[in-house]
Amino acid sequence: MALVDGGSGERAETRAVRIAGVDEVGRGAWAGPVVVCAAITDLSPPPVLPGRGKRTIALTDSKLLTEAHRESFAEILPGWLDSHAIGAASPEEIDELGMTAALRRAAVRALEALPEPPDVVILDGGHDFLRTPWRVRCEVKADQRSVTVAAASVLAKVHRDRLMADLAPDFPAYGFADSAGYPSPAHQKALEEHGPTPHHRLSWSYLDALPRWRHLKKHRDPMAGEGQLSLL
């Protein structure tokens, strides 16, 4: 069933309101940035992909689509969306700020890169990591209920996957093209043998299980204020 944004409270008479769907990818990865996409549509019917027989593939949460379908949607979504923008926070920023603050920084970068600011932001999930001055509506499983958030989900996922695949030739042992920086057997083996790359998050707990590289772990000092790091 195709998604409509009516599930998020939008009605035909409010079409003039600029609603940005926001979704992120990379929160649980060991390497690479966290990436956020902000997408705005005019609420016209979303694109679909041809399936088998007379079936069609509806736009939905990127995790529910195959890689081929994500890539196909990523090609046509920019032409359907009114506007969209990508923001990211680097592994260094994640180590320095913590994930919540880094996620907010990436989302603000995406929102501020839009040609016009949105009136309302729909966030996937139950936690408002944006806060003021943004007018935010949090929705659990918004990437399955709102085509705007689903579009942001797909574009963020494809963008980040391509970034990680571009790193793969320089770090072949880590399997970035397949794992996108998430845990995998090849990734874990490469970390044990070669240690983290410049693209790894050094405040992540995976380093606790790597005695040879544990000294590289970064620890944020909560008493020193945001952004202060101590190396143990």
Side-chain angles (χ1 to χ4, degrees):
M1 180 175 64
L3 298 175
V4 295
D5 275 329
S8 300
E10 303 90 285
R11 300 193 306 273
E13 59 266 34
T14 63
R15 285 179 183 268
V17 176
R18 295 180 59 78
I19 302 168
V22 170
D23 204 4
E24 55 78 23
V25 64
R27 189 188 304 218
W30 290 355
V34 61
V35 170
V36 174
C37 180
I40 295 178
T41 176
D42 62 3
L43 300 184
S44 61
V48 296
L49 299 177
R52 293 182 178 178
K54 295 182 179 180
R55 292 180 61 248
T56 57
I57 307 299
L59 177 61
T60 187
D61 173 14
S62 64
K63 295 186 292 296
L64 301 179
L65 296 169
T66 67
E67 180 180 359
H69 290 152
R70 288 194 298 267
E71 291 284 349
S72 295
F73 270 122
E75 294 300 316
I76 59 178
L77 283 174
W80 170 67
L81 291 168
D82 182 64
S83 59
H84 75 283
I86 298 285
S90 68
E92 293 81 6
E93 290 175 301
I94 294 170
D95 289 336
E96 178 185 355
L97 302 171
M99 178 51 74
T100 299
L103 187 58
R104 182 178 193 277
R105 180 173 289 187
V108 168
R109 286 169 176 163
L111 289 165
E112 291 183 343
L114 292 169
E116 295 181 56
D119 300 302
V120 180
V121 176
I122 302 176
L123 286 182
D124 181 34
H127 175 229
D128 178 9
F129 56 80
L130 269 174
R131 304 187 304 276
T132 56
W134 308 97
R135 183 182 173 192
V136 175
R137 180 185 180 116
C138 294
E139 291 224 6
V140 176
K141 295 189 181 299
D143 48 10
Q144 297 180 40
R145 301 175 59 192
S146 162
V147 287
T148 313
V149 179
S153 170
V154 169
L155 291 172
K157 171 67 173 169
V158 171
H159 179 87
R160 188 180 184 278
D161 282 355
R162 290 173 179 174
L163 285 178
M164 297 307 295
D166 287 343
L167 297 177
D170 293 330
F171 305 95
Y174 296 81
F176 287 156
D178 298 318
S179 70
Y182 284 85
S184 70
H187 191 173
Q188 295 181 43
K189 182 179 179 181
L191 279 168
E192 292 171 0
E193 295 179 357
H194 308 292
T197 72
H199 304 283
H200 276 85
R201 303 167 186 182
L202 297 181
S203 58
W204 249 225
S205 61
Y206 69 85
L207 279 170
D208 294 336
L210 301 173
R212 184 179 174 188
W213 311 104
R214 194 179 297 156
H215 66 285
L216 297 176
K217 187 173 181 180
K218 291 183 177 181
H219 301 261
R220 286 192 305 126
D221 182 355
M223 300 303 293
E226 184 179 88
Q228 299 300 311
L229 286 168
S230 62
L231 277 174
L232 299 183

